[in-house]
Amino acid sequence: MEGFKSLIVILLSSVLVNNYVLSRFLGICPFLGVSKKINQAVGMGVSVTLVMLLATVVTWPIQHLVLDNFGLGYLQTIVFILVIASLVQILEIILKKFSPALHQGLGVYLPLITTNCAVLGVAINNITDGYNFVESLVSSLGCGLGFLLAMVLFSGLRSKIDESEVPANFRGVAITLIAASFISLAFMGLAGIVDNLFA
């Protein structure tokens, strides 16, 4: 039961408290660039979640079975970048072959994920946080869901901003960054909830 509680805490803290976009400020480029429409935000969020899970499935064993055993830990970042880029390319080829509709629906999102630092951040932080394989998977799922949640919330907020009358000095990027900072502050206010969940 204690192990299950720790997995719930990891999941909830990854989604709410340690949200990679709103608390750790990783993956900001797609957060700002692909959140204008809700369907684009959902597509990007689901794609990132899938790639985060796949990256963890591959990078965790590589770290523990190869890099650590042969004293090559200093190559972690380079190896993980290559693994993530390869995974995205393989995923794109598989989707194009077996599910052309889904491939077309994801469109530009898959290549964008290759350069998304949140995916690399999750893979590296799972190692540095000392998570075992199952905890790493739960953390990756939570981080992906947190990314999806941030994208959807921000997309909804941006649609409201587009319908509102914004002062001339704040139009465009300025109001977008201000809105993002308010969402970030709201998420940081959730910090104590997960800590006291099973207290």
Side-chain angles (χ1 to χ4, degrees):
M1 188 64 179
E2 195 63 37
F4 180 72
K5 286 180 183 178
S6 70
L7 292 178
I8 295 294
V9 168
I10 289 170
L11 180 68
L12 290 178
S13 64
S14 298
V15 173
L16 300 174
V17 180
N18 299 320
N19 188 292
Y20 267 68
V21 178
L22 301 173
S23 296
R24 297 189 181 199
F25 308 110
L26 294 172
I28 296 293
C29 293
F31 176 68
L32 294 174
V34 191
S35 60
K36 290 181 182 176
K37 295 180 182 174
I38 189 76
N39 59 343
Q40 291 178 342
V42 170
M44 186 65 168
V46 169
S47 302
V48 167
T49 303
L50 179 62
V51 172
M52 280 182 180
L53 283 167
L54 288 173
T56 298
V57 166
V58 176
T59 57
W60 194 92
I62 287 174
Q63 178 70 41
H64 290 283
L65 300 176
V66 179
L67 298 180
D68 288 347
N69 282 341
F70 294 102
L72 300 172
Y74 60 91
L75 293 175
Q76 180 190 60
T77 303
I78 295 169
V79 170
F80 283 14
I81 288 171
L82 292 173
V83 166
I84 291 166
S86 301
L87 280 174
V88 171
Q89 291 302 313
I90 291 168
L91 184 62
E92 188 171 8
I93 291 168
I94 290 171
L95 286 177
K96 193 173 186 178
K97 175 103 173 138
F98 296 106
S99 181
L102 181 58
H103 178 265
Q104 190 174 8
L106 292 174
V108 72
Y109 307 129
L110 282 173
L112 279 176
I113 294 169
T114 305
T115 58
N116 189 341
C117 58
V119 178
L120 178 63
V122 168
I124 290 175
N125 284 332
N126 284 338
I127 303 298
T128 57
D129 290 344
Y131 290 152
N132 62 34
F133 186 69
V134 174
E135 290 171 340
S136 294
L137 287 176
V138 170
S139 171
S140 297
L141 176 64
C143 292
L145 293 176
F147 186 87
L148 174 62
L149 177 64
M151 292 287 288
V152 170
L153 286 175
F154 194 55
S155 175
L157 187 59
R158 285 184 80 171
S159 68
K160 289 292 183 187
I161 290 171
D162 290 342
E163 296 170 3
S164 302
E165 196 172 312
V166 178
N169 292 337
F170 290 100
R171 287 186 191 139
V173 176
I175 193 66
T176 302
L177 293 175
I178 290 168
S181 67
F182 285 142
I183 292 180
S184 180
L185 284 171
F187 268 72
M188 287 182 180
L190 299 171
I193 291 175
V194 176
D195 293 339
N196 299 319
L197 191 62
F198 293 109

